Amino acid sequence: MIFSLQGTVQELSPTYAVINVNGVGYYVGISLMTSQKLIFNKDSFLFIQQIIREDAHLLFGFHTRLEKEMFNLLISVNGVGAVSALILLSTLNLEEIASAILSGNSALIQKAKGIGAKTADRIIVDLKDKVQKFNATGEEISNVVNNKTKEESLSALEVLGIPKRMSEKIADRIIKQNADITTEELVKQILKNI
């Protein structure tokens, strides 16, 4: 099993690269994120995921180990193939994918070409417990969920007739920028942003 490749970038496109390792050119499928990190004719290192099928031996390359891990999680979901996973990794960055899954934002996942509502929902259900580490603000998310200031603010806004779903995302965004915000200030900021 090929775990990684280090060699010269012989060919480079947004969707694939050919990595020349001691005279042997390896055709590697890549995401846009990885493509942007590679430089034509320069030495590069890629983490590799090898997929062996009856009709093909495929190599997929990733600039980071985390991107490879996300790819493997995505292809573990029924109905998500390697190409769909690469398209999703090209459309959204790792943090965006993780937060879309954690928050159940099916619409964001569907922005990737070829991923419909059913597949997006399946990704959310299957990976919800597995993507916390990809979220750069992972600890913040768990703190935000249990944040007393946030709960008090959302309750106050509900009394004013503003649905919790509408104000919750705005609250999370504001708290992420200012973790020490007071309940009163948070209510004001949410009202400004609705």
Side-chain angles (χ1 to χ4, degrees):
M1 190 64 91
I2 298 173
F3 178 79
S4 63
L5 288 176
Q6 183 163 1
T8 308
V9 180
Q10 187 177 317
E11 280 185 46
L12 181 60
S13 86
T15 56
Y16 77 89
V18 175
I19 307 295
N20 187 319
V21 182
N22 298 325
V24 179
Y26 292 90
Y27 181 98
V28 182
I30 55 175
S31 70
L32 205 53
M33 189 183 349
T34 293
S35 173
Q36 291 168 347
K37 304 287 186 191
L38 299 176
I39 301 167
F40 179 70
N41 257 348
K42 294 283 185 196
D43 196 47
S44 286
F45 175 89
L46 289 176
F47 291 99
I48 298 294
Q49 180 58 50
Q50 185 175 13
I51 296 178
I52 299 172
R53 299 194 319 223
E54 276 182 36
D55 58 341
H57 287 230
L58 305 170
L59 298 179
F60 298 95
F62 308 94
H63 183 66
T64 65
R65 193 184 290 257
L66 273 181
E67 188 187 12
K68 178 182 173 179
E69 285 178 34
M70 178 64 87
F71 174 82
N72 283 324
L73 283 174
L74 290 169
I75 63 172
S76 74
V77 175
N78 192 11
V80 179
V83 173
S84 296
L86 280 184
I87 291 170
L88 186 53
L89 286 167
S90 296
T91 308
L92 305 170
N93 67 37
L94 296 178
E95 288 81 12
E96 288 170 334
I97 295 170
S99 69
I101 291 168
L102 290 167
S103 64
N105 188 344
S106 175
L108 186 58
I109 295 170
Q110 288 176 58
K111 283 188 175 180
K113 188 173 180 263
I115 294 184
K118 279 185 180 175
T119 306
D121 291 341
R122 207 174 300 124
I123 289 170
I124 290 167
V125 170
D126 288 4
L127 303 183
K128 204 166 191 114
D129 300 333
K130 300 176 183 173
V131 295
Q132 188 71 40
K133 73 178 195 173
F134 295 95
N135 199 324
T137 57
E139 294 109 60
E140 283 179 41
I141 280 191
S142 36
N143 290 345
V144 166
V145 170
N146 303 316
N147 193 305
K148 191 177 171 197
T149 305
K150 176 184 158 186
E151 292 308 319
E152 289 172 359
S153 302
L154 296 180
S155 296
L157 289 163
E158 275 186 299
V159 171
L160 296 173
I162 295 160
K164 187 174 183 175
R165 277 187 324 169
M166 187 185 221
S167 50
E168 192 160 19
K169 285 181 185 170
I170 300 168
D172 288 345
R173 196 175 63 232
I174 294 166
I175 291 170
K176 199 184 278 187
Q177 293 166 351
N178 180 5
D180 302 324
I181 196 166
T182 64
T183 303
E184 294 78 17
E185 191 55 38
L186 183 56
V187 170
K188 283 182 198 169
Q189 290 290 331
I190 292 169
L191 287 171
K192 277 185 197 170
N193 284 284
I194 285 179

